Amino acid sequence: MYFQKEIETMPRRELEELQLKRLKWTVDYCYNNSPFYHERLSKAGVTADKIRCLSDIQYIPVTTKADLRDHYPFGMLAQPMKNIVRIHASSGTTGKPTVVAYTRNDLELWSDCVARLAVAAGATDEDIVQISFGYGMFTGALGLHYGLEKIGASVVPNSSGNTEKALMFMRDFGTTALVATPSYALYMSEMAKELEYPMSDYHLRLGLFGSEGCTPEMRTQIEKGWGLFATDNYGMSELIGPGVSGECRERCGLHFNEDYFLPEIVDPETCEPLEKGEQGELLVTTLCKEGMPLLRYRTRDITYLDDSPCKCGRTGVRMGKVIGRSDDMLKIRGVNVFPSEIESVFVGMEEIGPHYQLVVRREGFADTLEVRVELIDGGLLERYGELEQLQRKIEHKLRSVLGIQCKVSLVEPKTLQRFEGKANRILDLRSKS
C-alpha cells in the first residue's frame, strides 16, 4: 500500500511550517535560477527574507498563462536543458501551447503525487488499470501511468479512441479500474451496452476521472452505467499534470498534496485573498519543482478550500469540485452561468441523455443561450404534445437554477458530438452574428 502516513496525516501546524520553509526555498530558487522570476521578483521587491509567514505570499506577483505563452517555449525554465528529461505541452487550441519541463526529481515528485491520490481513491497493486486518456504531449496519460505503476498496479496504456478495441481489452484483460475523462467514460458505457456482450463481462470497480469537470449528476450516471466507484482528481499541465489534488473514499472534497503545492483562493477580479470556505479563483504555488517552478499561478478554476477534518485521516486541505473556469463562464444578460450548473439540471432525467451543447448567440445587443440536449427515445420527436411538455419542464428547471430564460432544443439520439478527450460543449456564435 502506497500511503505516506507521515506526510499525509501531518498535523496542520507542522504542515504549515513545512510549507513556509519550502515557500522560502522556492522564492530563493526562482530568484537565482529563473531569469523570468528574477526580473519579476526584483521589480516587486520580494526576496525569500520578506516571506516570514504564509500570508506573505500575497506580496509575490501572480503568474498567468499569458506569461507562459509569451516566453514560449523555454523562457520559464529554471534549469539548463541538459537537466531537463521530459517536456510536455498543452493542446494549444488557442494560440501557442504552454510548455512544461521536468527534471528527474520532478518526475519522481509527480509519480509520488499521483500514487498518493490513486491509493486514497482505492487503487491497489492488484488492480488492472486501463488508461483511456490520449498519450502524447498531454500530461494526463503519462502522469497517471507512472503513478499507478509506482503503487504496483498493472497498467494498460490503451489511450483514447478505437473504443470497441478498448472495450475488448476491458473484457479480455479483466480491467478493474478506468482512467478517462468523465464524458468519455459515459460514451464507453453507452457503446458497451450496444455491443452483443453482457455487462457482466466487464469487471470495473473504480474510476479515476479527471481533465474535465464532473458534476455529481454525471458521476451518478457513470456509476450506474459501469457499476463502479467514481472519483475525481485534479491537476494542470502547467503545475505538474494530474496529481495536484484528488478525492479519497469519503468523497468530501479533493485532498491537496500540500507539501508540494500551496493553494490560495482569491477574488478573480482583484486577486485579493479570500477567507477559507469562500468561493473564488484557485492560485497554486509549486513548492519543490526544479525544471519550471511557478509562483501564484492563476488556474482560472473557481472553487473553495476546506480544512475541516476528513474521516480518512488525511490532513491536507481539500478543494471543492471546480464549478467552472472564470474564463469559461458565460455572461448571459448580466447573469454569470457555468456549464456545470446547466448540466446538473438535466443529467439523470429519464427522458434525455447526458450529452449536451450550449450555443451562445448575440441578438441585437443581448446574448442568448440555447441548450441542446439529446432524447433517449427519438420517437418522442413525433409525439409533439409530450415533446413540448418535456421542453417546458426543462426550461422551467433551468430558469429556476440560472435565473434567466434560455431556449431548449431536444434533438435525436446520438446526434451531438462525443469526446474522447476533454469535452468542449460551448459553441460561441457571437462573433458570427
Side-chain angles (χ1 to χ4, degrees):
M1 179 68 72
Y2 197 89
F3 175 46
Q4 297 175 321
K5 184 176 181 180
E6 183 181 348
I7 293 292
E8 296 183 66
T9 64
M10 183 179 284
R12 287 297 311 173
R13 179 176 292 182
E14 290 181 31
L15 180 54
E16 288 172 4
E17 288 173 357
L18 177 62
Q19 286 179 315
L20 179 59
K21 178 182 176 183
R22 290 184 171 179
L23 176 60
K24 290 168 72 72
W25 175 87
T26 299
V27 170
D28 189 59
Y29 179 82
C30 287
Y31 186 88
N32 291 314
N33 293 279
S34 166
F36 169 81
Y37 277 122
H38 182 87
E39 180 182 354
R40 184 68 63 90
L41 292 169
S42 295
K43 193 174 292 186
V46 177
T47 62
D49 292 338
K50 192 168 182 178
I51 307 297
R52 296 185 176 89
C53 58
L54 288 177
S55 61
D56 287 341
I57 197 172
Q58 64 186 301
Y59 300 122
I60 301 173
V62 299
T63 307
T64 67
K65 181 168 283 193
D67 291 324
L68 274 65
R69 286 181 173 153
D70 290 345
H71 293 80
Y72 172 91
F74 302 130
M76 298 291 291
L77 297 192
Q79 284 286 320
M81 188 55 69
K82 69 177 183 178
N83 294 337
I84 299 299
V85 298
R86 176 89 65 79
I87 298 170
H88 281 279
S90 70
S91 59
T93 52
T94 55
K96 289 282 190 183
T98 52
V99 174
V100 286
Y102 305 78
T103 64
R104 198 167 301 282
N105 285 340
D106 291 338
L107 291 183
E108 188 64 26
L109 180 157
W110 190 12
S111 61
D112 255 4
C113 289
V114 173
R116 286 182 193 172
L117 299 179
V119 168
T124 75
D125 57 3
E126 296 185 359
D127 276 306
I128 300 171
V129 187
Q130 197 154 319
I131 296 181
S132 288
F133 281 148
Y135 278 75
M137 298 301 280
F138 170 56
T139 56
L142 285 171
L144 269 297
H145 184 125
Y146 285 99
L148 287 161
E149 282 188 345
K150 178 166 272 191
I151 71 171
S154 303
V155 176
V156 182
N158 180 73
S159 195
S160 57
N162 202 339
T163 307
E164 283 198 42
K165 182 173 281 188
L167 293 170
M168 178 192 75
F169 287 147
M170 275 191 187
R171 297 189 300 271
D172 295 348
F173 295 174
T175 302
T176 58
L178 173 65
V179 172
T181 61
S183 53
Y184 191 47
L186 266 176
Y187 175 59
M188 293 178 84
S189 69
E190 280 183 356
M191 184 166 282
K193 289 178 173 63
E194 291 175 6
L195 301 176
E196 68 270 24
Y197 303 94
M199 291 304 289
S200 58
D201 283 359
Y202 299 93
H203 304 284
L204 289 179
R205 67 171 195 87
L206 177 65
L208 300 167
F209 301 127
S211 187
E212 66 182 24
C214 182
T215 61
E217 293 79 11
M218 180 178 277
R219 180 165 70 189
T220 298
Q221 290 296 301
I222 295 170
E223 290 185 328
K224 284 181 178 177
W226 280 119
L228 52 70
F229 182 84
T231 63
D232 279 352
N233 62 79
Y234 174 84
M236 187 169 279
S237 295
E238 299 93 310
L239 298 174
I240 202 166
V244 176
S245 67
E247 288 182 308
C248 68
R249 300 293 290 187
E250 299 297 328
R251 293 198 304 200
C252 58
L254 286 75
H255 288 274
F256 241 83
N257 278 318
E258 279 196 282
D259 54 326
Y260 292 141
F261 303 98
L262 181 58
E264 305 171 70
I265 298 293
V266 301
D267 184 305
E269 298 293 329
T270 66
C271 282
E272 290 296 314
L274 300 177
E275 297 295 325
K276 285 264 175 65
E278 287 191 87
Q279 188 170 277
E281 181 181 339
L282 176 68
L283 304 189
V284 181
T285 296
T286 63
L287 295 178
C288 296
K289 276 185 71 182
E290 297 175 339
M292 203 185 89
L294 290 179
L295 299 174
R296 304 193 78 203
Y297 185 69
R298 293 194 67 169
T299 68
R300 297 291 183 179
D301 289 325
I302 304 299
T303 183
Y304 63 90
L305 298 178
D306 179 4
D307 61 2
S308 63
C310 181
K311 291 179 182 177
C312 76
R314 292 173 177 84
T315 52
V317 71
R318 304 185 303 284
M319 60 180 276
K321 278 181 175 292
V322 172
I323 66 162
R325 291 177 56 81
S326 60
D327 50 1
D328 277 351
M329 182 181 72
L330 301 172
K331 195 147 191 160
I332 309 295
R333 296 190 292 281
V335 176
N336 296 337
V337 176
F338 289 102
S340 60
E341 295 177 299
I342 296 171
E343 181 181 299
S344 68
V345 168
F346 55 76
V347 170
M349 291 180 67
E350 291 182 1
E351 303 95 335
I352 59 178
H355 303 285
Y356 63 97
Q357 183 180 53
L358 310 180
V359 184
V360 187
R361 297 182 178 88
R362 180 158 289 143
E363 297 178 2
F365 296 100
D367 291 338
T368 64
L369 176 63
E370 176 191 359
V371 181
R372 296 174 179 170
V373 290
E374 286 184 355
L375 292 166
I376 295 291
D377 176 12
L380 192 61
L381 290 168
E382 305 299 324
R383 304 196 294 274
Y384 300 112
E386 293 178 50
L387 188 71
E388 191 175 339
Q389 185 178 10
L390 176 60
Q391 191 172 21
R392 285 201 303 266
K393 174 184 174 183
I394 298 171
E395 286 177 347
H396 176 74
K397 290 184 73 174
L398 285 170
R399 184 178 179 85
S400 299
V401 170
L402 305 178
I404 59 170
Q405 185 70 37
C406 53
K407 178 184 177 182
V408 171
S409 298
L410 301 173
V411 302
E412 291 185 13
K414 299 180 184 174
T415 55
L416 296 180
Q417 183 178 356
R418 268 48 171 173
F419 299 92
E420 294 173 355
K422 188 178 294 189
N424 181 15
R425 304 188 189 279
I426 300 173
L427 178 59
D428 192 340
L429 301 178
R430 283 175 289 191
S431 61
K432 302 174 184 178
S433 299

